[in-house]
Amino acid sequence: MDLFGGIESGGTKFVCAIGTATGEIKEEIRYPTTTPDESISRAIAFFQKAATQGRTLKAIGVSSFGPLDPHPTSPKFGYVTTTPKPGWMNTDFVGRLHTTFPDLPVGFDTDVNGAALGEYRWGVAQGLDTFIYLTIGTGIGGGAIVNGKPVHGLMHPEMGHVRVPHDLAADPFPGMCPYHGDCLEGLACGPAIEARWQQRGETLAPDHPAWALEAHYLALGIVNFIVTLSPQRIIMGGGVMDQHHIFPLIHQEVGSLLNAYIHAPQILEHIEDYVVPPGLGNQAGVLGAIALAQTALTIG
Ligand code: ZN
């Protein structure tokens, strides 16, 4: 049986796992993200220990917070590049893995492209070829699969930083993106909810006005993505989306903003199956990393 290693490198936690070609997790550890040295060394130690127990890997996949360099031909491939996360700027993530495991192919992509790939293989995007995966949490990110492949292009998509209309009279909160102020992430990430209402999101009642406003901003972003990429489905994960009561608000707002312009029954009649939670739950990220490992093995 072929085994693959996956590392989900998140802003607050690392998840490392060993999984099969069919996405079955055999072993997993989770720990808080600290320095690059410590965090990556713990992942390496986990895989080395598994190898001594007979669990030899075919490839490793890393899905990481970014920005990062996902282009295999680039000199900076495998680096977390200009991240504002303290200590992580210019971290050669893949290089460290190659030093210990010189013969293993390593796949490397954004956390959201990874999660999208996992959903494509084993989750709610099976059978689709063009869709997006959004995470709404500490930040907002979006991964896109187009014609069956993660989109990279110039770098990789940064959908959280689209500009959305901001009515300062209705919502005087200035936004908190360090680069743009009131971009989508600046207005609608988890910390923005807490800063605006002076209360953590998960403690706000489902009928609190915070949620209608949150759904409004997220729907504005989603409508931009629908008209740009023509996705067949939109998957929404991350800590904020654990508040499942926000989904119907988003469905209603997306429909209202599109105003029947996109004539697709998926949106007009079945929007609850169009904007959906991840099918892989809290394993979407690490299964995405395992999917990246499999892709790395296939393309060499
Ligand atoms: Zn921004």
Side-chain angles (χ1 to χ4, degrees), residues 209-273:
W211 298 116
L213 187 66
E214 179 71 8
H216 174 66
Y217 288 134
L218 294 177
L220 283 166
I222 288 168
V223 164
N224 288 334
F225 307 143
I226 292 173
V227 295
T228 306
L229 278 177
S230 191
Q232 295 157 312
R233 184 161 288 153
I234 294 168
I235 305 165
M236 300 186 76
V240 172
M241 301 312 296
D242 287 342
Q243 311 294 316
H244 274 225
H245 57 80
I246 197 177
F247 275 95
L249 300 174
I250 293 172
H251 294 148
Q252 192 176 17
E253 189 76 1
V254 168
S256 154
L257 288 166
L258 282 172
N259 198 21
Y261 180 69
I262 307 288
H263 256 272
Q266 290 90 335
I267 293 176
L268 293 175
E269 294 164 30
H270 306 290
I271 196 164
E272 68 282 0
D273 298 324

Side-chain angles (χ1 to χ4, degrees), residues 25-178:
I25 302 278
K26 294 288 189 186
E27 196 177 342
E28 180 186 289
I29 53 164
R30 293 173 180 243
Y31 50 88
T33 306
T34 54
T35 62
D37 266 339
E38 187 181 17
S39 308
I40 299 172
S41 295
R42 285 184 78 170
I44 288 171
F46 170 71
F47 295 131
Q48 283 176 320
K49 185 170 171 222
T52 65
Q53 295 165 343
R55 290 187 160 160
T56 308
L57 303 179
K58 286 276 185 186
I60 297 175
V62 178
S63 67
S64 178
F65 64 87
L68 51 78
D69 189 335
H71 291 291
T73 56
S74 159
K76 288 265 181 173
F77 168 69
Y79 278 67
V80 175
T81 56
T82 54
T83 182
K85 187 169 174 57
W88 281 81
M89 189 179 277
N90 280 318
T91 293
D92 182 7
F93 204 132
V94 171
R96 288 170 197 233
L97 295 172
H98 271 316
T99 303
T100 312
F101 307 107
D103 300 326
L104 285 190
V106 178
F108 186 67
D109 212 324
T110 60
D111 45 7
V112 277
N113 267 348
L117 207 53
E119 293 290 337
Y120 182 54
R121 293 271 169 85
W122 304 299
V124 293
Q126 292 177 72
L128 306 180
D129 62 43
T130 298
F131 65 95
I132 64 177
Y133 182 100
L134 301 173
T135 184
I136 320 295
T138 313
I140 295 183
I145 303 287
V146 173
N147 298 329
K149 291 198 170 132
V151 171
H152 293 140
L154 183 66
M155 184 178 75
H156 48 74
E158 282 286 350
M159 298 185 206
H161 298 269
V162 291
R163 302 308 188 109
V164 292
H166 179 197
D167 179 353
L168 278 161
D171 173 25
F173 180 68
M176 59 187 302
C177 173

Side-chain angles (χ1 to χ4, degrees), residues 160-163 177-181 183-186:
H161 298 269
V162 291
R163 302 308 188 109
C177 173
Y179 291 89
H180 318 114
C183 64
L184 179 61
E185 175 173 298

